[in-house]
């Protein structure tokens, strides 16, 4: 009987959401840059939506720089680190100005949280040698910020956001225990027909 009532409750809750948007985007942050895949399900009230994101960050050392090698006639990176973060965040957007703005854009407040997988490779050697033995750790983190959703032709949206991302670690990786900082997050989504 409990299973039946659980099914009815979940079905009625699910019926209050519209067709999902799916997409990808780019992140530019204080500690590095990367890309992400995301999904968003708007509520029928248009006041909120539920989000899920899988992000990939290439963390950069503040002292990393490009130098020209005249012997080979190419540029190469010096002072780099081999650190990748894979946040998996769930959360939502709240749209406070629904039906108050009559254009194709919707400002919102975003809040996300979840787990962060951190992969730390060696700093010397070839690509294969650096990633042969990986130190990994798992922590919790999140994101809070503001953004604007621009509705475009053909059921697509472009969504720029700016905010603060929390990327703490359990123990130091490449000299830091916290890679938190400001983040610019730009998503390109499309709603598929139901």
């Amino acid at each position: 009987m409990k299973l039946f009532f659980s099914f009815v409750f979940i079905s009625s809750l699910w019926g209050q959401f519209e067709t999902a948007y799916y997409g990808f985007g780019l992140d530019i942050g204080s500690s590095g840059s990367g890309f992400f895949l995301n999904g968003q399900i708007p509520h029928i009230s248009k006041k909120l939506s539920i989000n899920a994101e899988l992000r990939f960050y290439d963390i950069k050392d503040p002292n990393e720089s490009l130098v020209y090698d005249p012997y080979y006639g190419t540029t190469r990176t010096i002072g780099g680190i081999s650190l990748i973060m894979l946040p998996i965040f769930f959360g939502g957007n709240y749209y406070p100005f629904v039906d108050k703005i009559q254009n194709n854009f919707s400002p919102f407040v975003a809040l996300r949280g979840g787990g962060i997988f951190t992969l730390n490779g060696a700093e010397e050697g070839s690509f294969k040698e650096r990633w042969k033995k990986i130190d990994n750790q798992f922590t919790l983190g999140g994101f809070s910020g503001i953004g604007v959703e621009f509705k475009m032709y053909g059921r697509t949206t472009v969504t720029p956001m700016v905010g603060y991302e929390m990327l703490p670690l359990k123990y130091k990786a490449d000299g830091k225990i916290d890679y938190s900082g400001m983040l610019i997050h730009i998503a390109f989504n499309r709603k598929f027909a139901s």
Side-chain angles (χ1 to χ4, degrees):
M1 194 61 133
K2 288 181 183 179
L3 182 63
F4 174 75
F5 285 118
S6 298
F7 177 75
V8 170
F9 175 73
I10 291 171
S11 297
S12 65
L13 189 63
W14 189 254
Q16 296 185 19
F17 288 90
E18 298 179 355
T19 305
Y21 286 88
Y22 299 100
F24 66 95
L26 304 171
D27 285 324
I28 303 164
S30 302
S31 298
S33 60
F35 64 90
F36 61 90
L37 302 172
N38 71 331
Q40 174 176 313
I41 304 173
H43 190 264
I44 57 174
S45 69
K46 310 276 192 230
K47 286 204 171 270
L48 61 97
S49 64
I50 297 172
N51 303 81
E53 297 175 350
L54 170 61
R55 302 181 182 185
F56 175 91
Y57 285 138
D58 180 17
I59 304 298
K60 299 290 183 198
D61 186 343
N63 299 320
E64 183 176 323
S65 60
L66 290 173
V67 295
Y68 178 72
D69 186 345
Y71 185 75
Y72 291 104
T74 60
T75 56
R76 61 187 175 93
T77 303
I78 60 167
I81 58 176
S82 299
L83 186 63
I84 292 174
M85 289 187 163
L86 302 167
I88 301 172
F89 288 162
F90 300 94
N93 296 346
Y94 172 68
Y95 303 87
F97 304 112
V98 172
D99 297 330
K100 296 177 184 171
I101 299 175
Q102 298 301 318
N103 291 322
N104 66 339
F105 67 96
S106 303
F108 63 87
V109 177
L111 189 62
R112 317 228 192 302
I116 305 166
F117 294 96
T118 304
L119 308 173
N120 187 9
E123 311 313 322
E124 300 287 326
S126 68
F127 181 83
K128 185 178 178 181
E129 291 167 346
R130 285 183 290 147
W131 293 103
K132 193 172 188 178
K133 187 176 180 186
I134 299 172
D135 177 37
N136 58 57
Q137 52 182 300
F138 177 80
T139 53
L140 298 177
F143 171 83
S144 62
I146 57 172
V148 178
E149 185 175 282
F150 293 98
K151 292 173 176 59
M152 311 297 279
Y153 179 75
R155 296 185 307 235
T156 60
T157 63
V158 177
T159 309
M161 274 192 296
V162 64
Y164 187 79
E165 185 146 58
M166 293 146 279
L167 301 171
L169 299 176
K170 283 184 184 174
Y171 51 87
K172 277 189 179 182
D174 293 324
K176 289 175 73 173
I177 195 162
D178 194 347
Y179 284 90
S180 301
M182 296 302 293
L183 180 75
I184 297 171
H185 184 85
I186 304 168
F188 304 92
N189 296 322
R190 179 171 170 77
K191 183 184 279 191
F192 294 95
S194 55

